[in-house]
Amino acid sequence: MQRAYYSNTIASFLLEDANAILGKLVQASEFPVEQAQRDAWLQQIEQLKHVLGSFSGRVYFEYAIPRMGKRVDVILVIATAIFVIEYKVGETRFSAHHLDQVVDYALDLKNFHEASHDRFVAPILIATQAAEASMKASLTPYSDKLFRPIKSNGDSLREIIRAVIGATGNTPPIDAESWEQGRYCPTPTIIEAATALYNGHSVAEISRSDAGGAELQRTTQTISNLIVDARSNSYKAICFVTGVPGSGKTLIGLNVATQHFDKDSNMYSVFLSGNGPLVKVLQEALARDKVARERAAGRLIKKYVARSEVKMFIQNVHHYRDECLRDPNPPVDHVALFDEAQRAWNREHTARFMKQKKGLAKFHQSEPEFLLSCMDRHPDWGVVVCLVGGGQEINTGEGGISEWVDALNRRFPHWRVHISDRLTDMEFGAGKALEALHSREHVYYDPRLHLSVSMRSFRAEHVSQLVKQLLDLDQAGAKETLRQLADRYPIVLTRDLNKAKAWLRSKARGSERYGIVASSAAYRVKPLAIEVRLKPNPVHWFLGDKDDVRSSYYLEDVATEFEIQGLELDWVCVTWDADFRHSDSGWSHYAFRGKRWQRINKPDRKAYRRNAYRVLLTRARQGMVIVVPSGERADPTRDPRFYDPTFEYLKSTGFEVLD
């Protein structure tokens, strides 16, 4: 893949005619080029020709950042530094949004381009009509060699380049050609991934090229081969994909759905999820992106039109179910991908819902059984892909993956079954149900259907392992895993929420997103101004900008396991209440009722509470701070004895305590 519309040595760039360079840019563009863009490119070319006469290295115009679906205006590789330059032609000020934008581009290179990991990277914002800004305060890099954003109107660009190179000390020079060949190994957020895939990028372009990325591509190809074979040979099949938290199960579902969605060949696929917040956020993000792209290409589109198109691709599973109840015909989709399939409702919960909400007194199917029956209406072929997370059931009525297996055994003996060989693990809770499959034909256990590496955190793959060890009370194992993570994925502990907020703000750069999460049962952190019963609008919380009081950035509204599951933030504050507390006998589970805590004894409710904390502790991509309140002796519902043992357990495991 050619990452840039134009690239050349600086020496050759200086000799090449400006109009010839412009012609190459226009020819390489993905969209029709308006006159304003041509003029902007010419201004950039002419300014750089004036500035770069005394430097050697390479220059790149419109350098692709597939993870973000964007392009950097200019990248320069000169001497010991990489310069990421974003032009705002005609702008008179340096807006916070534009500064975040250029920092985001620089962070992308720093984090995901191997040849940039250990190099100095300088983000520069050029507002061509602004008053020249002082650069002195900006020439201080962070510990990872990323400079703070530098402001300029372009007049001092030559001096900025020289000053940055001078600030890099005795660093060895960069071999520009080797830098250009460096591997790009992105780890997108689920929102970035959905946007990129929806716009035609492949999973290979937007995923890492290490073991985790190889797993994604291998599993995607395995599912795609099954779909092609089922269509060619007219049979129905179900496929169970397992993975650790953050391993990319949702990414695989989105990727397969985009690959097998083609109106021209009457091939329709749908990505389904019962996770309402996830669906709302993805639908809104894709609709906004589509509107922005169409406008950039000179075409106007109403947002409701974009949203209606997106909803064909990503749907709430309950809306899909209701449509199949209304219409007895086969659904238009031949491929259905169910995200978090373990959260589908069991027979009792579904029957009660259908009777109370839909007036169907004689409905006696579980949600998996009914959904399979919908795909079974096709006279020829169909494929259902279940994306399964272990220990992720967090709500009453969620039957786990055994509901799907039981439904297959009861009603669909003609379906072929492809199963991850890890589905037998205890955390997936399908062991007994799977035993009944042994007697039927066409059951295949496939190791290619398991994802073992967390892709959520590009800094450390073993965060989910650490969380499992903590919850399993394997303190020795947790200590060792934490030791391995320490340099790359900071996790700190405090009893002071204000210190936690300050820590989050100090860590985030550019538009890196941060926020507070807590258990939905964390009723007694209310004195800390954390009210879990006030549900934030997930669209605003996850997509709102820094100036939006409804966004996660404001650290006012808090997301629970129900809003955050399936989504992620860069930096997370986990607030730990007394609903899940450590003691000498292990973990104790509580619910706050009326004016006191009551112990939970039912195994399924205890599992939901434990899984809630598993979800909360695996939401951060780059690091987290855990707040265990000190409690209040005068308040019997916040007795320090409810909190102190948990804090001491985490502290003795090795978590750094904030001063």
Side-chain angles (χ1 to χ4, degrees):
M1 172 185 172
Q2 288 293 325
R3 295 289 301 278
Y5 282 180
Y6 173 91
S7 67
N8 213 334
T9 64
I10 289 175
S12 297
F13 165 76
L14 293 171
L15 294 174
E16 192 168 359
D17 181 73
N19 285 316
I21 298 172
L22 175 63
K24 292 177 181 178
L25 290 169
V26 171
Q27 188 174 16
S29 176
E30 305 164 49
F31 305 108
V33 179
E34 301 295 326
Q35 188 61 46
Q37 179 63 72
R38 292 171 182 259
D39 293 343
W41 277 335
L42 272 176
Q43 187 169 341
Q44 294 168 27
I45 292 166
E46 290 168 357
Q47 183 176 85
L48 289 173
K49 280 180 171 290
H50 174 71
V51 165
L52 297 178
S54 58
F55 299 107
S56 61
R58 289 192 71 86
V59 57
Y60 305 85
F61 281 83
E62 300 294 330
Y63 188 89
I65 307 289
R67 177 184 70 89
M68 300 170 65
K70 304 265 181 84
R71 288 183 176 273
V72 185
D73 285 341
V74 175
I75 287 182
L76 302 174
V77 180
I78 300 174
T80 54
I82 302 154
F83 298 86
V84 178
I85 304 175
E86 186 66 15
Y87 277 90
K88 299 302 175 184
V89 175
E91 286 288 336
T92 60
R93 64 188 186 91
F94 303 99
S95 74
H97 173 72
H98 291 152
L99 287 168
D100 283 346
Q101 180 185 7
V102 72
V103 172
D104 287 345
Y105 292 154
L107 282 168
D108 188 90
L109 287 179
K110 171 60 68 175
N111 292 329
F112 306 123
H113 183 243
E114 286 188 347
S116 302
H117 284 344
D118 299 320
R119 292 297 187 173
F120 285 95
V121 180
I124 303 173
L125 176 63
I126 297 180
T128 58
Q129 299 302 311
E132 188 60 57
S134 172
M135 65 181 177
K136 292 181 181 178
S138 301
L139 291 183
T140 306
Y142 295 97
S143 59
D144 62 356
K145 299 182 179 180
L146 177 72
F147 282 85
R148 289 168 172 78
I150 302 168
K151 305 172 186 177
S152 173
N153 62 12
D155 291 346
S156 62
L157 184 56
R158 181 185 294 108
E159 288 71 27
I160 289 172
I161 293 172
R162 287 174 176 161
V164 167
I165 293 171
T168 62
N170 296 321
T171 305
I174 301 170
D175 183 300
E177 291 188 4
S178 297
W179 180 88
E180 184 174 328
Q181 299 304 315
R183 292 193 307 170
Y184 178 62
C185 306
T187 303
T189 67
I190 193 60
I191 295 170
E192 291 168 343
T195 304
L197 291 169
Y198 190 65
N199 285 295
H201 290 286
S202 70
V203 72
E205 287 180 279
I206 63 167
S207 64
R208 297 173 351 196
S209 55
D210 60 4
E215 278 191 344
L216 283 176
Q217 296 178 50
R218 178 204 65 193
T219 303
T220 298
Q221 191 59 51
T222 301
I223 298 170
S224 293
N225 291 343
L226 171 61
I227 292 170
V228 170
D229 192 63
R231 187 182 192 188
S232 299
N233 295 292
S234 294
Y235 64 82
K236 298 183 179 74
I238 187 169
C239 176
F240 294 96
V241 177
T242 58
V244 301
S247 57
K249 299 181 293 295
T250 302
L251 174 57
I252 280 182
L254 292 167
N255 188 44
V256 172
T258 53
Q259 284 185 352
H260 299 277
F261 190 97
D262 183 1
K263 295 179 182 178
D264 294 338
S265 62
N266 200 30
M267 165 69 89
Y268 292 90
S269 299
V270 62
F271 177 87
L272 300 168
S273 176
N275 184 335
L278 173 69
V279 172
K280 288 179 180 178
V281 169
L282 291 182
Q283 286 179 343
E284 180 66 17
L286 294 187
R288 290 182 184 183
D289 182 74
K290 185 172 182 64
V291 169
R293 286 177 177 274
E294 290 296 308
R295 287 177 177 171
R299 299 185 292 268
L300 294 180
I301 182 173
K302 297 291 186 181
K303 193 173 181 180
Y304 75 87
V305 174
R307 191 179 287 117
S308 67
E309 292 183 15
V310 167
K311 286 182 177 179
M312 291 182 64
F313 167 58
I314 297 177
Q315 294 183 35
N316 187 302
V317 68
H318 303 307
H319 299 168
Y320 181 87
R321 175 204 62 201
D322 292 347
E323 180 61 22
C324 288
L325 278 170
R326 187 193 65 79
D327 185 352
N329 293 306
V332 66
D333 319 285
H334 277 77
V335 179
L337 300 109
F338 293 93
D339 194 34
E340 298 176 11
Q342 76 282 353
R343 296 189 60 191
W345 292 350
N346 59 30
R347 184 188 294 193
E348 179 185 4
H349 191 79
T350 307
R352 183 167 58 250
F353 174 85
M354 291 297 184
K355 181 179 180 179
Q356 295 175 352
K357 302 295 185 181
K358 303 295 180 182
L360 300 175
K362 296 183 179 181
F363 194 96
H364 299 297
Q365 301 177 59
S366 67
E367 198 169 43
E369 184 174 349
F370 178 70
L371 293 169
L372 287 171
S373 73
C374 298
M375 191 60 68
D376 201 52
R377 297 173 187 175
H378 285 292
D380 45 9
W381 71 282
V383 174
V384 168
V385 179
C386 291
L387 306 167
V388 186
Q392 299 282 297
E393 301 88 351
I394 58 176
N395 208 357
T396 302
E398 294 176 357
I401 210 63
S402 60
E403 287 291 334
W404 291 89
V405 180
D406 287 341
L408 287 167
N409 289 331
R410 282 195 304 270
R411 284 194 52 191
F412 306 100
H414 54 291
W415 279 55
R416 302 188 186 188
V417 184
H418 295 255
I419 305 175
S420 159
D421 64 344
R422 297 291 295 276
L423 198 62
T424 56
D425 289 2
M426 183 175 65
E427 64 190 284
F428 297 109
K432 291 183 179 179
L434 289 175
E435 292 176 5
L437 289 177
H438 293 167
S439 61
R440 63 187 280 168
E441 291 185 303
H442 303 302
V443 177
Y444 311 96
Y445 285 85
D446 192 336
R448 295 173 298 178
L449 297 176
H450 178 71
L451 300 168
S452 63
V453 179
S454 174
M455 301 286 284
R456 175 168 294 126
S457 170
F458 55 86
R459 295 189 181 277
E461 295 83 3
H462 303 298
V463 176
S464 60
Q465 178 183 337
L466 170 65
V467 172
K468 184 178 187 302
Q469 291 165 334
L470 284 174
L471 298 180
D472 290 348
L473 299 173
D474 176 12
Q475 193 171 35
K479 283 182 177 179
E480 176 57 25
T481 304
L482 182 61
R483 186 189 63 79
Q484 296 173 16
L485 297 177
D487 293 338
R488 295 170 292 154
Y489 187 96
I491 306 176
V492 296
L493 183 63
T494 184
R495 313 207 74 167
D496 187 328
L497 181 61
N498 288 325
K499 287 184 178 180
K501 291 180 178 181
W503 186 86
L504 288 178
R505 294 185 178 111
S506 72
K507 290 294 181 182
R509 296 177 291 185
S511 63
E512 289 177 343
R513 187 169 284 274
Y514 50 85
I516 302 174
V517 301
S519 161
S520 59
Y523 285 6
R524 294 311 297 144
V525 291
K526 187 176 180 180
L528 305 181
I530 294 178
E531 176 52 272
V532 297
R533 283 168 284 200
L534 295 177
K535 305 298 183 185
N537 183 318
V539 169
H540 300 313
W541 203 80
F542 283 101
L543 300 180
D545 293 331
K546 290 179 179 179
D547 59 357
D548 188 338
V549 298
R550 302 165 297 180
S551 74
S552 66
Y553 289 118
Y554 255 72
L555 302 178
E556 293 182 1
D557 293 333
V558 57
T560 71
E561 67 272 21
F562 297 113
E563 288 81 42
I564 198 74
Q565 188 176 46
L567 291 158
E568 64 227 331
L569 302 174
D570 288 290
W571 304 92
V572 170
C573 170
V574 179
T575 308
W576 202 306
D577 202 6
D579 59 320
F580 188 65
R581 58 182 87 156
H582 191 268
S583 67
D584 292 340
S585 59
W587 293 110
S588 299
H589 313 72
Y590 286 83
F592 193 78
R593 296 285 184 266
K595 60 181 182 180
R596 63 175 60 90
W597 291 103
Q598 296 179 1
R599 185 182 284 271
I600 295 173
N601 294 311
K602 289 185 177 181
D604 58 342
R605 291 184 61 210
K606 291 169 73 172
Y608 296 149
R609 183 68 69 248
R610 174 192 181 93
N611 289 342
Y613 277 83
R614 187 194 310 276
V615 169
L616 298 174
L617 291 165
T618 54
R619 295 304 101 188
R621 286 163 56 81
Q622 300 197 53
M624 63 178 154
V625 53
I626 301 172
V627 179
V628 182
S630 298
E632 175 58 56
R633 293 188 184 279
D635 182 350
T637 68
R638 300 174 59 235
D639 192 312
R641 291 175 296 177
F642 299 164
Y643 301 96
D644 290 347
T646 302
F647 179 82
E648 293 302 326
Y649 171 64
L650 296 174
K651 180 181 177 182
S652 63
T653 301
F655 292 105
E656 176 190 351
V657 178
L658 283 180
D659 295 331

